[in-house]
Amino acid sequence: MLQTLSNPSPTSITSQYASWFDDRIDQFIDEHKGRFDSVPTFKKRNGYFITISFDQSRRNQRPEGSASIDSPKAKSVLDTFTDIYNHICRQLIGRNYHRPSFDRLKPLAIGCLDMNGSRYWKSMGELENPHIHSIWIFTDQVRDGFQKLIADRERFSTFKERFSIREMDIQALDHDHRNSTGEGRATSYMAKFIGHNNSELLVGDDFRVLPIQKGRVH
C-alpha cells in the first residue's frame, strides 16, 4: 500500500509566507531606520497597505503602439505591479532611480495576487477579478513625495489612467496587529491567495518583492 504524504494546508502555507514577509519588512526597516528609531515607529510613519484593482477590459484593449511599460500583451497583473513600482520610483527619485547609487532611497513593496472569494475558498474555482494587495514601506527621504503624489488629484488620476487602475485603496499601517501564531494580520491577509494557489498552482506568478535584491537567494 502506498503511503499517503500529508500536504501542508493553505492556511499553513499562507502563515509561512506571511512570516517571511514580516521578516523582510523588519529587515528593510532595520537597514533604513535611524539609530534611535524603532521598527514599529518607522513602520507607522512610512508604511502603507495598498489594494490595487484594475479595469480588465481596458488592460486588454490598449493600443498595440503603446509604450512597452503600458502594453498589456504578455503582461500579468504582477508585471503591471512592477511597472507601477518603477514608475513611482521614477516620480519620487528621478529618471536615474535604477542606478545603484539611489538604491537606499527605493521603497520596499511586497505585492500579492488575489482573486474574488479567496478568503472563503475550500478549493480553487473560476479565477475572477485579479487584483493586488500590497505593503509598501517608504524611506524617510521619499515618503513626503509619495504623499504629495496621491494628494494631487490630477496627477494621481493620470497615474491611475496610465496603468488602467480602477481603484487604489491606500491605508496607513498605523497599527501592528498580530495573529495568535505571531504573523502580522496585514501580511496574512495579503498572502491568503498564495496558500490556495500552492495546492493547485493555477497561477504561476502570485507575488513580487521589490526591489529585487541583487546577490541574494531567497
Side-chain angles (χ1 to χ4, degrees), residues 145-170:
F146 177 72
Q147 292 174 342
K148 289 177 181 177
L149 168 63
I150 61 179
D152 185 327
R153 287 189 177 184
E154 183 175 349
R155 191 176 168 206
F156 192 45
S157 178
T158 300
F159 162 74
K160 291 193 291 184
E161 176 79 14
R162 180 184 181 95
F163 296 103
S164 300
I165 295 172
R166 186 179 71 234
E167 187 175 352
M168 194 165 173
D169 182 65
I170 302 172

Side-chain angles (χ1 to χ4, degrees), residues 44-57:
K44 289 179 181 180
R45 187 170 69 244
N46 296 327
Y48 292 89
F49 188 91
I50 301 177
T51 297
I52 307 171
S53 56
F54 299 92
D55 184 336
Q56 297 299 333
S57 61

Side-chain angles (χ1 to χ4, degrees), residues 109-162:
I110 303 175
C112 295
L113 183 66
D114 195 13
M115 301 284 180
N116 280 4
S118 65
R119 184 177 182 182
Y120 308 102
W121 285 344
K122 292 185 178 178
S123 62
M124 293 283 278
E126 183 178 353
L127 303 181
E128 296 179 338
N129 186 32
H131 53 280
I132 291 170
H133 297 298
S134 62
I135 288 177
W136 295 63
I137 309 294
F138 291 89
T139 60
D140 285 326
Q141 295 90 337
V142 302
R143 177 195 65 243
D144 289 347
F146 177 72
Q147 292 174 342
K148 289 177 181 177
L149 168 63
I150 61 179
D152 185 327
R153 287 189 177 184
E154 183 175 349
R155 191 176 168 206
F156 192 45
S157 178
T158 300
F159 162 74
K160 291 193 291 184
E161 176 79 14
R162 180 184 181 95

Side-chain angles (χ1 to χ4, degrees), residues 164-204:
S164 300
I165 295 172
R166 186 179 71 234
E167 187 175 352
M168 194 165 173
D169 182 65
I170 302 172
Q171 303 290 332
L173 280 178
D174 55 0
H175 54 72
D176 193 22
H177 297 319
R178 297 276 165 169
N179 295 332
S180 59
T181 49
E183 300 84 30
R185 289 187 184 176
T187 50
S188 296
Y189 184 81
M190 183 172 68
K192 58 191 171 66
F193 175 76
I194 300 176
H196 296 288
N197 186 49
N198 190 78
S199 60
E200 300 183 36
L201 204 60
L202 294 185
V203 180

Side-chain angles (χ1 to χ4, degrees), residues 199-215:
S199 60
E200 300 183 36
L201 204 60
L202 294 185
V203 180
D205 187 14
D206 52 19
F207 77 93
R208 295 277 171 91
V209 178
L210 302 170
I212 295 173
Q213 292 184 296
K214 302 178 183 67

Side-chain angles (χ1 to χ4, degrees), residues 13-53:
I13 293 168
T14 294
S15 176
Q16 291 175 46
Y17 271 96
S19 179
W20 181 57
F21 294 151
D22 286 330
D23 289 345
R24 182 66 190 92
I25 290 168
D26 288 349
Q27 175 194 347
F28 178 86
I29 294 174
D30 273 332
E31 292 171 352
H32 289 83
K33 71 180 181 66
R35 181 178 178 184
F36 300 106
D37 209 353
S38 69
V39 170
T41 300
F42 190 100
K43 188 186 297 184
K44 289 179 181 180
R45 187 170 69 244
N46 296 327
Y48 292 89
F49 188 91
I50 301 177
T51 297
I52 307 171
S53 56

